[in-house]
Amino acid sequence: MPLATRRALLGAALATPMLARAQSRFPDRPITLLVPFPAGGATDVQMRALGEAASRAFGQTVITDNRPGAGSTLGPATVARAKPDGYLVSQMTLPALRLPFMQRMAYDPRRDFTPIIHLTGYTFGIVVRAESPWKTWQEVVADARRNPGRHRWGNTGANGTPHLAMVELAEREKLEVVHVPFRGEADAVPALLGGHIEATAAGTGLYELIKEGKLRLLNVWTPDRRPGFPEVPTLLELGYQGMVITSPYGLVAPAGLDPETLAALHEGFRRALHDPAHLAVLARLDQPLQYLNSADYARNMAETIDMEEARVKRLGLSTG
């Protein structure tokens, strides 16, 4: 065999593994991040900041795609049917893990997802318009008791965590109120400011409106008072025993994702989660950093699913 031919064959043999590695490098095109809430709300703000930081970490664009409605399940439902190549991921909320035990859904939370990373959680409270006559939560309760059926309380989605908490508050106070579900804070806030509802459960995305004097925060659902609002009592302080309510979330991909792609996704979003620009958004929204790696998040998600299934059965929430 001529020397030139041997050299050509040797060069091709050496180049083949390098080419395979280059072709298998992830990601080599944009990643789509599904956010199951409307644009403009607190979740959208946080997830877009995460996506921008992830674009820098991956060296590829992360496209934020809003899929609001259906109790924050449209994102996970879409991912459950997707090809497990790592290019489509979704925010996974607590209601999306709960709803399959309440009604027929297009996915199984135990089988249809690959957990990538746990991110953060919401800080909830109840707000009213600043010009409303109610200065305290007790005044809202008293007025609702005097006017059964006339109070309309908003929430960020039917059967979501804020909705169930508002239902529980009404039941504990033996109040007759109308619960109004919205697709997220971005839809609930205009309704509240326009006087179409009297109060709404809200996340930390409304803190700026509170600071600006447009909304009044009456309580928070965390174990302790929030540093930014030291005058606002917790539900525990108001006498609602056991009512510490948070709603953590993370990111998931379709089931069957290969380990190398999972590792790459986790590392990119881990770097994005801790990016200073994203941390600044979390601080502004008063959302805690709650990082879990893929394995720990998978265990956490399995435990959460078991707890939510038990909760639905205990409270008789299943609709079929």
Side-chain angles (χ1 to χ4, degrees):
M1 180 182 295
L3 179 61
T5 303
R6 290 200 301 271
R7 285 176 176 172
L9 291 173
L10 177 61
L14 291 173
T16 299
M18 296 175 63
L19 180 60
R21 285 196 296 272
Q23 289 176 335
S24 64
R25 183 171 170 239
F26 177 90
D28 60 8
R29 55 189 170 90
I31 296 170
T32 298
L33 170 58
L34 301 182
V35 178
F37 292 97
T43 304
D44 179 63
V45 170
Q46 182 269 316
M47 295 297 279
R48 285 184 183 275
L50 181 75
E52 290 172 3
S55 296
R56 294 190 290 272
F58 286 119
Q60 291 284 346
T61 302
V62 175
I63 302 167
T64 303
D65 184 357
N66 297 87
R67 300 288 181 92
S72 74
T73 65
L74 294 183
T78 302
V79 162
R81 300 189 298 270
K83 180 181 178 181
D85 58 8
Y87 289 99
L88 184 67
V89 302
S90 176
Q91 178 189 15
M92 175 61 81
T93 66
L94 188 59
L97 297 178
R98 178 190 309 127
L99 282 171
F101 304 109
M102 300 178 65
Q103 61 196 56
R104 188 179 298 277
M105 299 297 297
Y107 61 86
D108 184 324
R110 290 190 173 97
R111 295 200 308 261
D112 292 342
F113 302 104
T114 299
I116 301 169
I117 185 172
H118 193 276
L119 302 170
T120 180
Y122 300 110
T123 302
F124 290 120
I126 296 177
V127 295
V128 296
R129 293 186 307 281
E131 66 269 22
S132 73
W134 311 297
K135 302 296 190 295
T136 67
W137 172 244
Q138 294 92 326
E139 291 176 357
V140 173
V141 170
D143 192 72
R145 186 168 288 119
R146 289 192 301 268
N147 298 280
R150 296 186 62 181
H151 268 237
R152 297 153 298 180
W153 292 357
N155 60 71
T156 53
N159 297 317
T161 300
H163 179 202
L164 297 185
M166 294 293 268
V167 169
E168 183 172 351
L169 286 170
E171 289 179 348
R172 290 200 187 195
E173 294 289 356
K174 297 179 172 54
L175 301 177
E176 182 183 340
V177 301
V178 178
H179 295 279
V180 185
F182 293 90
R183 297 189 304 169
E185 287 179 4
D187 292 341
V189 172
L192 179 62
L193 292 174
H196 303 293
I197 55 177
E198 280 64 49
T200 191
T204 49
L206 304 189
Y207 277 21
E208 290 184 7
L209 292 175
I210 298 166
K211 291 290 190 181
E212 293 171 2
K214 296 178 181 178
L215 298 176
R216 180 179 298 129
L217 182 64
L218 301 182
N219 57 48
V220 292
W221 301 358
T222 46
D224 304 298
R225 296 192 182 198
R226 304 308 301 161
F229 301 94
E231 74 285 359
V232 179
T234 67
L235 290 179
L236 294 177
E237 291 177 298
L238 292 172
Y240 299 103
Q241 185 176 1
M243 289 197 74
V244 173
I245 301 162
T246 61
S247 192
Y249 58 87
L251 301 180
V252 296
L257 192 68
D258 73 83
E260 289 187 4
T261 304
L262 173 59
L265 277 173
H266 167 266
E267 178 58 20
F269 282 112
R270 185 196 66 79
R271 290 169 58 191
L273 178 63
H274 293 88
D275 185 285
H278 177 255
L279 291 176
V281 172
L282 285 184
R284 178 162 57 87
L285 295 174
D286 195 25
Q287 292 189 208
L289 180 68
Q290 296 179 329
Y291 165 72
L292 292 176
N293 63 31
S294 301
D296 290 341
Y297 182 32
R299 285 188 287 269
N300 173 270
M301 199 163 122
E303 292 169 359
T304 300
I305 290 169
D306 289 343
M307 288 189 294
E308 288 301 319
E309 182 179 22
R311 181 187 187 195
V312 167
K313 291 178 179 177
R314 183 177 69 253
L315 298 179
L317 299 175
S318 178
T319 58

